[in-house]
Amino acid sequence: MRILALALAACVAAGGAYAKQPRAQKAKPENEQTLSGPVGDTNGTWSIEAATTVGECQLLIPPSFDVVDGKIAAASGPAGSTWGYVDEGGTIVARFTGQGERVVRFHGTLRNGKGAGAWSSSTDLCGGTWRATRGEAAAQ
């Protein structure tokens, strides 16, 4: 019994030491690393180019969406339902839901009229990357 108690105490101590190890930061996708500078105004219409890098599926990511007051207000294309936001740091998080409850999750960075990040679909088992330009930025 004493040996069992010592073994249990050693496992608990080892688990605590493991839990306190610093976690490695995830590297940003290559297309997201080049975004720098001030966030700027994220409101407006954003044009999206998406690529599939894992799996094979039909994209639900719209060709464009509108940001109004930091929220995804509207999207064109196959998405029946859209939800999302852009925070003060330019981080975007969005979800596009289509026919048959197909879901695509979309995240990344919008900064200075450009954007980039990753997307994934747990319903279609696929994912990839995206790039964006804001309407005014494309005209400059």
Side-chain angles (χ1 to χ4, degrees):
M1 186 66 149
R2 187 177 197 177
I3 293 174
L4 181 59
L6 287 172
L8 181 61
C11 287
V12 169
Y18 177 77
K20 293 180 183 178
Q21 296 295 320
R23 293 184 181 194
Q25 295 249 338
K26 280 187 172 182
K28 289 185 177 183
E30 185 177 318
N31 65 339
E32 196 174 338
Q33 291 176 354
T34 59
L35 296 175
S36 61
V39 172
D41 185 12
T42 59
N43 290 321
T45 299
W46 290 83
S47 297
I48 306 298
E49 292 179 20
T52 302
T53 57
V54 176
E56 294 181 29
C57 66
Q58 297 176 346
L59 288 179
L60 278 178
I61 296 173
S64 67
F65 61 82
D66 295 335
V67 176
V68 177
D69 294 329
K71 294 191 176 18
I72 307 297
S76 61
S81 172
T82 301
W83 170 90
Y85 65 90
V86 182
D87 71 12
E88 300 84 25
T91 299
I92 182 171
V93 176
R95 182 181 65 233
F96 306 104
T97 305
Q99 186 177 25
E101 298 303 313
R102 294 174 54 229
V103 176
V104 170
R105 287 174 177 76
F106 180 93
H107 67 277
T109 304
L110 299 179
R111 188 175 301 287
N112 202 21
K114 296 180 182 177
W119 64 270
S120 65
S121 173
S122 59
T123 55
D124 290 358
L125 304 177
C126 56
T129 60
W130 61 269
R131 297 176 66 117
T133 54
R134 192 175 60 216
E136 306 135 29
Q140 291 177 351

